[in-house]
C-alpha cells in the first residue's frame, strides 16, 4: 500500500518511538499528519513556495481517481499534503476540504484500506480548519451509516450537533439543521422498528401501552429534529417522507397535508417532481376528489412528462366528464411515448391505440392532427421503421400489434411498420390483425390514395 494509507496502519519503528505522534487509539500511527497538524495549529509558515508541486500533484490525483487507480492516487496524495504549509493563506485555508474530499475518496475505495483507517483520518481532518468540522462530521456519519454502524453514526452526529465556534456558527446554521435532521432520520428508523413491533401486539396488552408511550417519546424528539430542516428551501425528500409518516400515524392529517402542500407549491423551494408525487400519494390515501388528483398530476406532467404516474394521470383524465381533460389525455400519451425509455411500454401503446380510436370516433380529428403535426417528421423513424417492426414482432408480439394499430391510424396502410405486422400469419394474433386492418381502414387520419 502507498505512503498515504500505509503510514496510517503500519506499526511504529524504534526510531519513531521518541517522536511526538498522533494516534487513533487503535494503534495507528500518523507521522505525516502530526507534522501538518502542528504546522496549522501553531500558525507556522515556511518560506518555500510549494505551488508548482502541489498543483501538479492535484492534477495527477484527479487523473488517477478518474481511472480508479487508487494506489497511484494515494502515492500522489502523500506529496499533496504539503499544501497545508503553503505560504498563500487562501490556498492553505482551502486545503483541508480538498484533502478531505480526495483522501476520503481514496480510502473509501482503496482495496487495502479499512474502516479504522477511514475513521481515524476523518477524526483528524475535522480539527484542521474550523469551518470544515460540520461538513466532515456529516459525511463521516453517512459513511458509518453505509456500513450499518447506526450507533456510531448517531454518536458522531450528536457530537457535531453541539459544535460552536464564535460568530462563525451562524453561517453554518443550515449544516447544523442538516446534521440534526439526519439524527432525526436515525431516530425515525428506531421509531419505525417500534411501530412494527407495536403492530404485532394486542391493544389490550400492557406491553402495548408501554411500547406506545415509548414510540411517542421517540416521535417527539424526531419531529423536532426534522421540522427545522424542512422549513428551509431545499430538496429534503427522505426527511419530509419520514415526518409525514409520523404525522399520519398519529392522525394529524391536516398537518401532513400542510407539510406536503408547502413542499410542493412553495415558490421558495426548488422544483421537485417527488414533492408532487408525495402529495398525490397522500391525497389518494385520503380518497381526495378526482379533480384534486388531476390538478396535482398536471403539474407533475409539466415537470416530467415521462413519469410513471402519467399513465395513471391519463386514466383519471379519461374518466373525467370535461372535454378539455379528454384532449389532455391524448396529449399525455403522446408525451410519454416521445421518450426513448418508454418505447417498449405496452400499456402506453395500448392506451394510445384505444384513445386514438375513441377520439376519432368522437369527431375530434383536430386533436389528433395537432399532436401528430409536431411528430410527423420524426416518429416514423423513431417508432415505426421496418427494423422496429421485425424486432418488436420477434421480442413482443403483443407490443408489436398495439404499435402497428397506432402506426396505421397515424400513417395509413402504407406505413412500413403496419405493412410488416399485418402480413404476419400467427394463430393467436390472426383475428386481432384482421380487426386491426378494419379499424385502420375506417379510422386512419390518412385518406386513401394519399
Amino acid at each position: 500500500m502507498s505512503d498515504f494509507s500505509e503510514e496510517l496502519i503500519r506499526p511504529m519503528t524504534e526510531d519513531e518511538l521518541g517522536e511526538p505522534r498522533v494516534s487513533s487509539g487503535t494503534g495507528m500511527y500518523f507521522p505525516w499528519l502530526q507534522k501538518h497538524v502542528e504546522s496549522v495549529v501553531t500558525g507556522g509558515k515556511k518560506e518555500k513556495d510549494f505551488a508548482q508541486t502541489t498543483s501538479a500533484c492535484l492534477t495527477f490525483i484527479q487523473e488517477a481517481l478518474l481511472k480508479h487507480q487508487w494506489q497511484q492516487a494515494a502515492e500522489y496524495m502523500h506529496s499533496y499534503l504539503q499544501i497545508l504549509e503553503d505560504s498563500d493563506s487562501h490556498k492553505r485555508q482551502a486545503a483541508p476540504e480538498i484533502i478531505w474530499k480526495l483522501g476520503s475518496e481514496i480510502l473509501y475505495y482503496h482495496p487495502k484500506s479499512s474502516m479504522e483507517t477511514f475513521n481515524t483520518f476523518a477524526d483528524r481532518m475535522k480539527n484542521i480548519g474550523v469551518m470544515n468540522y460540520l461538513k466532515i462530521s456529516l459525511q463521516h456519519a453517512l459513511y458509518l451509516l453505509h456500513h450499518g454502524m447506526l450507533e456510531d453514526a448517531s454518536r458522531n452526529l450528536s457530537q457535531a450537533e453541539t459544535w460552536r465556534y464564535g460568530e462563525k456558527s451562524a453561517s453554518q446554521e443550515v449544516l447544523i439543521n442538516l446534521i440534526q435532521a439526519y439524527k432525526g432520520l436515525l431516530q425515525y428508523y428506531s421509531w419505525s422498528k417500534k411501530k412494527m413491533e407495536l403492530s404485532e401486539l394486542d391493544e389490550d396488552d400492557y406491553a402495548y401501552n408501554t411500547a406506545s408511550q415509548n414510540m411517542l417519546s421517540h416521535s417527539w424528539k424526531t419531529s423536532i429534529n426534522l421540522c427545522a430542516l424542512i422549513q428551509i428551501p431545499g430538496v429534503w425528500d427522505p426527511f419530509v417522507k419520514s415526518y409525514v409518516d409520523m404525522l399520519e400515524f398519529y392522525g394529524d392529517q391536516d398537518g401532513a397535508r400542510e407539510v406536503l402542500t408547502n413542499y410542493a407549491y412553495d415558490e421558495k423551494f426548488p422544483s421537485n417532481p417527488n414533492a408532487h408525487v408525495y402529495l398525490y400519494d397522500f391525497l389518494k390515501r385520503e380518497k381526495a376528489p378526482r379533480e384534486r388528483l388531476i390538478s396535482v398530476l398536471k403539474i407533475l406532467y409539466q415537470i416530467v412528462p415521462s413519469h410513471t404516474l402519467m399513465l395513471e394521470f391519463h386514466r383519471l383524465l379519461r374518466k373525467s366528464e370535461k372535454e378539455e381533460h379528454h384532449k389532455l389525455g391524448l396529449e399525455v400519451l403522446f408525451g410519454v411515448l416521445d421518450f426513448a425509455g418508454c418505447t417498449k411500454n405496452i400499456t402506453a401503446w395500448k392506451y394510445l391505440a384505444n384513445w386514438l380510436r375513441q377520439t376519432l370516433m368522437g369527431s375530434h380529428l383536430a386533436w389528433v392532427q395537432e399532436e401528430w403535426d409536431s411528430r410527423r417528421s420524426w416518429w416514423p423513424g423513431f417508432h415505426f421503421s421496418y427494423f422496429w417492426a421485425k424486432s418488436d414482432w420477434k421480442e413482443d408480439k403483443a407490443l408489436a400489434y398495439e404499435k402497428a394499430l397506432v402506426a396505421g391510424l397515424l400513417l395509413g396502410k402504407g406505413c412500413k411498420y403496419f405493412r410488416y405486422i399485418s402480413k404476419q400469419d400467427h394463430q393467436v394474433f390472426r383475428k386481432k390483425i384482421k380487426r386491426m386492418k378494419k379499424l385502420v381502414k375506417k379510422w386512419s387520419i390518412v385518406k386513401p390514395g394519399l
Side-chain angles (χ1 to χ4, degrees):
M1 199 172 176
S2 68
D3 290 342
F4 169 61
S5 44
E6 207 168 59
E7 286 194 344
L8 293 175
I9 59 175
R10 69 176 176 82
M12 294 187 303
T13 64
E14 290 183 7
D15 294 336
E16 293 164 342
L17 285 172
E19 292 184 16
R21 59 189 181 275
V22 175
S23 173
S24 66
T26 59
M28 296 180 191
Y29 177 53
F30 296 83
W32 59 267
L33 191 54
Q34 176 66 45
K35 293 173 185 176
H36 293 297
V37 169
E38 287 174 353
S39 174
V40 173
V41 171
T42 58
K45 292 183 179 179
K46 293 185 177 182
E47 297 296 325
K48 187 176 180 180
D49 183 11
F50 295 107
Q52 197 169 10
T53 306
T54 53
S55 178
C57 278
L58 182 58
T59 301
F60 292 144
I61 292 167
Q62 290 170 335
E63 290 178 359
L65 289 177
L66 284 172
K67 297 175 182 177
H68 293 185
Q69 296 172 343
W70 313 116
Q71 173 73 18
Q72 194 171 351
E75 291 168 1
Y76 288 127
M77 188 70 196
H78 185 263
S79 298
Y80 183 71
L81 293 166
Q82 65 184 317
I83 197 171
L84 288 168
E85 297 176 349
D86 199 297
S87 58
D88 187 323
S89 61
H90 293 293
K91 290 183 179 179
R92 199 167 59 248
Q93 288 172 9
E97 185 175 0
I98 296 172
I99 291 171
W100 162 248
K101 287 181 176 179
L102 296 174
S104 59
E105 185 81 358
I106 294 168
L107 290 177
Y108 184 85
Y109 288 107
H110 201 296
K112 292 186 180 179
S113 182
S114 66
M115 189 173 295
E116 290 76 16
T117 306
F118 189 98
N119 289 343
T120 307
F121 176 64
D123 288 339
R124 295 306 170 190
M125 290 306 301
K126 289 173 192 177
N127 297 306
I128 301 180
V130 173
M131 299 303 290
N132 297 304
Y133 184 88
L134 291 178
K135 287 182 183 178
I136 295 175
S137 294
L138 179 56
Q139 292 166 16
H140 187 200
L142 294 175
Y143 171 84
L144 294 169
L145 283 174
H146 179 73
H147 286 82
M149 303 175 67
L150 272 64
E151 291 185 7
D152 289 338
S154 181
R155 186 162 47 250
N156 191 292
L157 292 170
S158 293
Q159 291 171 355
E161 186 182 14
T162 60
W163 179 88
R164 296 292 183 276
Y165 187 80
E167 295 179 359
K168 290 184 178 179
S169 62
S171 66
Q172 300 205 19
E173 184 178 353
V174 174
L175 266 176
I176 293 173
N177 285 332
L178 192 56
I179 283 169
Q180 290 172 337
Y182 268 104
K183 185 179 175 184
L185 212 56
L186 287 175
Q187 291 167 340
Y188 169 76
Y189 176 75
S190 299
W191 178 86
S192 297
K193 288 175 67 176
K194 293 181 184 299
K195 185 173 75 168
M196 289 291 293
E197 293 169 4
L198 191 67
S199 65
E200 297 173 0
L201 296 174
D202 188 338
E203 292 188 20
D204 296 328
D205 195 336
Y206 173 76
Y208 182 92
N209 292 327
T210 304
S212 182
Q213 288 299 317
N214 200 352
M215 274 185 66
L216 190 61
S217 174
H218 267 81
S219 65
W220 180 77
K221 295 175 185 176
T222 306
S223 62
I224 291 175
N225 284 325
L226 295 176
C227 192
L229 179 72
I230 63 178
Q231 292 177 14
I232 301 170
V235 178
W236 312 122
D237 292 354
F239 309 103
V240 170
K241 287 184 70 177
S242 302
Y243 187 46
V244 167
D245 184 27
M246 290 193 300
L247 291 174
E248 283 193 86
F249 181 80
Y250 290 110
D252 189 359
Q253 300 298 109
D254 292 338
R257 190 185 309 104
E258 183 181 358
V259 168
L260 291 171
T261 302
N262 289 339
Y263 192 52
Y265 296 130
D266 193 326
E267 292 182 354
K268 294 191 292 292
F269 281 74
S271 177
N272 178 9
N274 288 340
H276 301 280
V277 174
Y278 301 153
L279 178 58
Y280 174 73
D281 289 341
F282 173 79
L283 293 172
K284 270 184 70 177
R285 290 194 295 272
E286 273 202 321
K287 302 188 185 306
R290 187 189 301 135
E291 287 289 331
R292 181 76 177 98
L293 298 175
I294 286 175
S295 68
V296 175
L297 289 184
K298 190 173 182 179
I299 296 176
L300 179 62
Y301 167 64
Q302 293 166 355
I303 303 172
V304 190
S306 62
H307 197 281
T308 53
L309 279 174
M310 290 305 100
L311 296 182
E312 192 166 328
F313 183 35
H314 167 76
R315 290 197 296 271
L316 288 170
L317 293 168
R318 193 171 63 198
K319 293 175 183 176
S320 173
E321 296 178 358
K322 293 183 178 180
E323 196 171 82
E324 64 183 271
H325 286 165
H326 294 168
K327 184 176 185 293
L328 180 58
L330 183 66
E331 178 188 320
V332 166
L333 291 176
F334 272 104
V336 168
L337 291 167
D338 279 343
F339 291 85
C342 302
T343 56
K344 301 290 186 181
N345 190 323
I346 188 172
T347 304
W349 285 109
K350 188 178 293 185
Y351 283 179
L352 181 57
N354 178 64
W355 203 237
L356 272 174
R357 187 167 58 88
Q358 294 292 331
T359 302
L360 293 168
M361 288 172 64
S363 301
H364 294 297
L365 174 61
W367 296 359
V368 178
Q369 289 178 329
E370 182 181 338
E371 296 302 324
W372 183 235
D373 283 346
S374 62
R375 296 171 173 87
R376 189 189 304 274
S377 63
W378 63 278
W379 261 43
F382 187 60
H383 288 305
F384 305 133
S385 67
Y386 180 75
F387 169 81
W388 283 123
K390 288 182 67 176
S391 175
D392 290 342
W393 183 256
K394 183 178 179 180
E395 293 178 11
D396 189 341
K397 291 177 174 54
L399 170 68
Y401 167 78
E402 300 296 343
K403 284 185 66 175
L405 178 51
V406 172
L409 291 172
L410 295 174
L411 291 164
K413 293 187 293 182
C415 171
K416 293 177 183 178
Y417 197 104
F418 175 81
R419 282 209 315 262
Y420 181 85
I421 302 303
S422 64
K423 290 178 182 178
Q424 302 306 310
D425 186 20
H426 191 281
Q427 187 175 353
V428 176
F429 287 89
R430 196 171 293 152
K431 289 183 179 180
K432 281 191 170 185
I433 290 174
K434 186 177 181 180
R435 177 174 174 269
M436 175 185 74
K437 291 177 181 178
K438 289 181 179 179
L439 288 172
V440 169
K441 183 178 181 180
K442 185 173 184 180
W443 297 110
S444 176
I445 65 173
V446 178
K447 295 178 181 180
L450 294 180

